[in-house]
Amino acid sequence: MVPFLDLKIQYQNIKNEIEEAISNVLENTQFVLGTEVAAFETEFAAYCHADYGIGVNSGTSALHLALLAAGVGPGDEVITIPFTFVATVAAIDYTGAKPVFVDIEPNSFTINTNQIEKAITQRTKAILPVHLYGQPADLDPILEIAQHYGLTLIEDAAQAHGAEYKGRRVGSIGDLGCFSFYPSKNLGAYGEGGMVVTHHEKYAHAIKLLRDWGQERKYHHILKGYNYRLEEIQAAILRVKLRYLESWTKARQSHAQQYDEQLINAQVQTPQIMPYSRHVYHIYAVRTTQRTALQQQLQQQGIQTGIHYPVPVHLMPAYADLGYQLGDFPQSELAANEVLSLPMYAELLIDQTKSVTHAINSFIGKE
Ligand SMILES: *Cc1c(COP(=O)(O)O)cnc(C)c1O
């Protein structure tokens, strides 16, 4: 049996530290936006090479507030990809702005930078690339376009804690970077959490207000805000886990390398690493035109897999109002039909990765 993800082993390995961290918070009885949140903000911002970190209650809230801080609102347009988790698009929609899609580049699953300019209109306010699966989008051409057209660059780094673009940590390369600490992410809370990182004091200030009802001081509300606050217990847990993140990332990279090497002759396509990338393998996705059959066979052998994501957002009934149709983003549509995510987490054993690749290699052997 190879699970897609096993959060239990990780917990068992760090149980003592986690329980101490939680019990400290319980003793302090400061449960929301206290010293643990402040310390985690400083530590995670430093990890991202950013000046400011603002903790919030989810990655979705991070995206929503980053967009609001950038001044995005009704009548504006924000450029992103349809081959992403729905939250990227939902956050744009929450602001009243219109999500405008650009197709992905099929080797990296990230935004096709050659197609951004033709999506820009008078209303475009921001570009929101997604570092899908833990591999950075090609940020230099995007930065150039953003500068040329006066657009804000917001990174959806929800899957990319510690990923690097040309040696620089993602999240701190654009104007604002958004992270999720959903339990299954590379750095996961035991509940919900998120963070915006930035170099700009004005954005950090606005997001701090917006996450806590827009109040400058208690009961003095100068902005229409939200209850998007991060909990102390989650911050205390995340501080413990942040100390392990690099070693967990290296373990993921080593499993990915095992997969790459052992699938070299398989008829599935393994992930492509762009020359500018440090890929952190939130997801290790192979591509195959026989996905359903392969997934079923793996399942029969006790190997769990996932599909990230089976429906691109432009084809979701929920976003039919955007007016897109089948055929509008062929690379996103093809990827949605072909990707299959293999088991990936730091504590995977070599025997487990071997049984996964063995099963894949023998499936293809039957063709
Ligand atoms: C997980 C995720 C989000 C949303 O984060 P939550 O913490 O679940 O709200 C946004 N974008 C991407 C690409 C994600 O994977």
Side-chain angles (χ1 to χ4, degrees):
M1 164 75 186
V2 188
F4 180 66
L5 173 66
D6 185 339
L7 294 175
K8 237 182 202 164
I9 314 178
Q10 188 196 71
Y11 172 58
Q12 279 156 1
N13 289 340
I14 57 175
K15 196 172 155 92
N16 291 341
E17 287 168 89
I18 293 288
E19 286 178 356
E20 193 189 330
I22 293 175
S23 100
N24 285 340
V25 174
L26 299 182
E27 294 291 340
N28 286 341
T29 67
Q30 188 183 19
F31 294 112
V32 179
L33 293 188
T35 51
E36 294 292 333
V37 169
F40 178 56
E41 288 173 337
T42 303
E43 290 161 8
F44 191 73
Y47 178 79
C48 297
H49 305 166
D51 292 330
Y52 303 95
I54 308 95
V56 292
N57 63 346
S58 74
T60 309
S61 300
L63 288 163
H64 185 193
L65 295 192
L67 288 158
L68 290 178
V72 171
D76 296 331
E77 293 177 358
V78 177
I79 293 173
T80 192
I81 52 171
F83 188 62
T84 180
F85 181 58
V86 67
T88 313
V89 181
I92 298 169
D93 186 68
Y94 294 168
T95 67
K98 182 177 183 251
V100 171
F101 294 131
V102 165
D103 209 354
I104 56 166
E105 189 284 309
N107 292 315
S108 64
F109 302 106
T110 59
I111 193 165
N112 185 329
T113 57
N114 296 320
Q115 295 183 19
I116 295 175
E117 275 188 283
K118 68 171 197 252
I120 293 175
T121 72
Q122 291 295 323
R123 293 165 179 261
T124 309
K125 200 74 176 251
I127 310 177
L128 179 48
V130 183
H131 305 314
L132 201 76
Y133 298 161
Q135 167 146 257
D138 189 3
L139 289 171
D140 274 349
I142 305 174
L143 276 165
E144 207 169 289
I145 292 166
Q147 256 152 28
H148 186 258
Y149 292 90
L151 309 174
T152 308
L153 174 51
I154 303 173
E155 301 173 57
D156 184 340
Q159 304 188 353
H161 318 71
E164 290 174 11
Y165 179 78
K166 299 185 181 171
R168 296 162 69 198
R169 288 267 158 93
V170 301
S172 61
I173 300 171
D175 297 294
L176 298 132
C178 302
F179 291 87
S180 165
F181 307 119
Y182 186 74
S184 61
K185 299 289 159 83
N186 288 24
L187 179 61
Y190 291 150
E192 306 273 356
M195 194 174 295
V196 183
V197 300
T198 182
H199 293 305
H200 302 284
E201 203 277 332
K202 65 171 182 183
Y203 292 144
H205 182 68
I207 293 166
K208 269 191 180 159
L209 292 183
L210 288 167
R211 75 171 166 185
D212 190 21
W213 293 120
Q215 55 189 348
E216 222 172 16
R217 54 203 163 86
K218 212 166 171 63
Y219 306 130
H220 292 260
H221 303 268
I222 61 166
L223 292 173
K224 287 180 178 166
Y226 301 83
N227 174 2
Y228 280 177
R229 297 172 300 232
L230 182 60
E231 294 186 357
E232 283 286 284
I233 286 186
Q234 300 308 335
I237 291 163
L238 289 162
R239 289 186 71 197
V240 171
K241 289 193 168 199
L242 180 58
R243 300 201 284 267
Y244 293 93
L245 182 58
E246 278 303 293
S247 71
W248 290 336
T249 297
K250 286 182 183 129
R252 284 175 182 271
Q253 290 169 331
S254 139
H255 305 323
Q257 200 184 335
Q258 297 283 322
Y259 280 151
D260 286 346
E261 286 168 11
Q262 290 160 24
L263 292 173
I264 198 136
N265 295 316
Q267 282 172 42
V268 297
Q269 190 187 315
T270 53
Q272 315 264 311
I273 309 304
M274 299 297 117
Y276 50 71
S277 284
R278 180 196 193 213
H279 195 322
V280 297
Y281 294 102
H282 172 59
I283 300 281
Y284 183 99
V286 296
R287 289 185 78 136
T288 166
T289 51
Q290 301 169 75
R291 180 176 67 193
T292 309
L294 177 59
Q295 185 173 35
Q296 273 168 8
Q297 171 142 338
L298 294 176
Q299 184 66 40
Q300 278 161 15
Q301 297 179 35
I303 296 164
Q304 289 179 356
T305 55
I307 297 173
H308 303 89
Y309 297 91
V311 185
V313 182
H314 72 285
L315 300 180
M316 291 179 180
Y319 293 95
D321 62 333
L322 296 177
Y324 292 111
Q325 55 190 7
L326 186 68
D328 283 347
F329 304 103
Q331 294 301 341
S332 294
E333 293 164 16
L334 200 61
N337 288 329
E338 294 186 352
V339 290
L340 184 68
S341 312
L342 305 187
M344 177 54 78
Y345 52 92
E347 299 79 9
L348 266 179
L349 303 170
I350 287 183
D351 280 352
Q352 291 178 306
T353 54
K354 269 194 190 141
S355 68
V356 173
T357 55
H358 181 76
I360 294 173
N361 284 321
S362 55
F363 169 78
I364 300 300
K366 277 185 197 151
E367 289 308 297

